[in-house]
Amino acid sequence: MLNRVLMFYHRGIFNENLKRVLRENNINVIDIRLGKYVEIDIIDDPKKVILLIGEPLFIVTEIGGKFKQLFYDMRFWECHEILEEKWRKAENETEKNYLQAIILICASMIKYLKGEVEVSNMLMDKALSLISNFPQELLPLLYIRLGLDS
């Protein structure tokens, strides 16, 4: 069984036809995201992509790492996945809502980078609505805890 693989390339390889070209070559492409890198998200053998467009900068086969660094690297899908795992395990309602807000921000950024501005705005509005319910003095503590836990 093939697993999900993220392949990261320099932005210079991106063009509007990349997803179509990969799919025409029988590569199971989930998505292509453009941020700091071109992120090719597949459930397939990465060698098939490498044969077509060359070696990536790096490949991710398991989601992990530090949220802060991933966020700064515009790897929002991975951020979303890391936080979703924490969200599932959270027992405190305030912490759960905070994590949900950050997850929504990551999802908003994914949509924004794909040019889906209306969806991005809707997700961002939901995130900000959740955050606005928190006492102002609590936000830095939640942010620090998130940074220490990831």
Side-chain angles (χ1 to χ4, degrees):
M1 182 172 145
L2 295 170
N3 293 319
R4 195 163 188 165
V5 177
L6 303 175
M7 304 177 73
F8 292 84
Y9 288 86
H10 285 291
R11 289 176 52 106
I13 67 134
F14 181 78
N15 69 55
E16 296 298 321
N17 300 315
L18 184 56
K19 188 186 291 186
R20 181 184 51 78
V21 168
L22 293 173
R23 286 183 173 161
E24 285 174 353
N25 282 277
N26 298 315
I27 297 169
N28 185 4
V29 179
I30 305 239
D31 204 358
I32 295 179
R33 294 179 282 274
L34 185 61
K36 184 176 178 180
Y37 307 99
V38 174
E39 182 178 336
I40 301 175
D41 186 350
I42 62 170
I43 297 179
D44 214 323
D45 182 353
K47 292 176 188 169
K48 291 166 65 175
V49 176
I50 293 168
L51 284 172
L52 278 176
I53 60 175
E55 288 288 335
L57 296 169
F58 56 97
I59 296 176
V60 173
T61 56
E62 287 189 35
I63 304 301
K66 298 283 187 185
F67 170 82
K68 182 178 176 182
Q69 188 58 52
L70 292 170
F71 193 86
Y72 289 158
D73 282 345
M74 299 176 70
R75 292 166 58 185
F76 300 117
W77 187 82
E78 290 170 273
C79 290
H80 177 284
E81 291 296 303
I82 286 171
L83 294 180
E84 197 169 89
E85 186 64 31
K86 290 178 180 300
W87 176 81
R88 280 191 199 104
K89 294 177 182 175
E91 295 177 11
N92 178 296
E93 192 66 28
T94 301
E95 183 177 347
K96 202 166 184 91
N97 287 339
Y98 182 75
L99 288 168
Q100 184 180 7
I102 305 301
I103 289 167
L104 287 167
I105 290 170
C106 292
S108 172
M109 296 308 300
I110 291 167
K111 295 298 184 181
Y112 180 81
L113 292 171
K114 290 177 67 172
E116 298 175 21
V117 176
E118 286 183 31
V119 176
S120 173
N121 288 342
M122 179 195 67
L123 292 168
M124 189 63 74
D125 286 345
K126 286 182 181 181
L128 294 175
S129 177
L130 278 171
I131 290 171
S132 70
N133 292 326
F134 295 127
Q136 188 173 0
E137 63 275 4
L138 186 60
L139 290 174
L141 299 174
L142 290 169
Y143 177 79
I144 289 169
R145 177 152 184 220
L146 176 65
L148 294 175
D149 286 348
S150 64

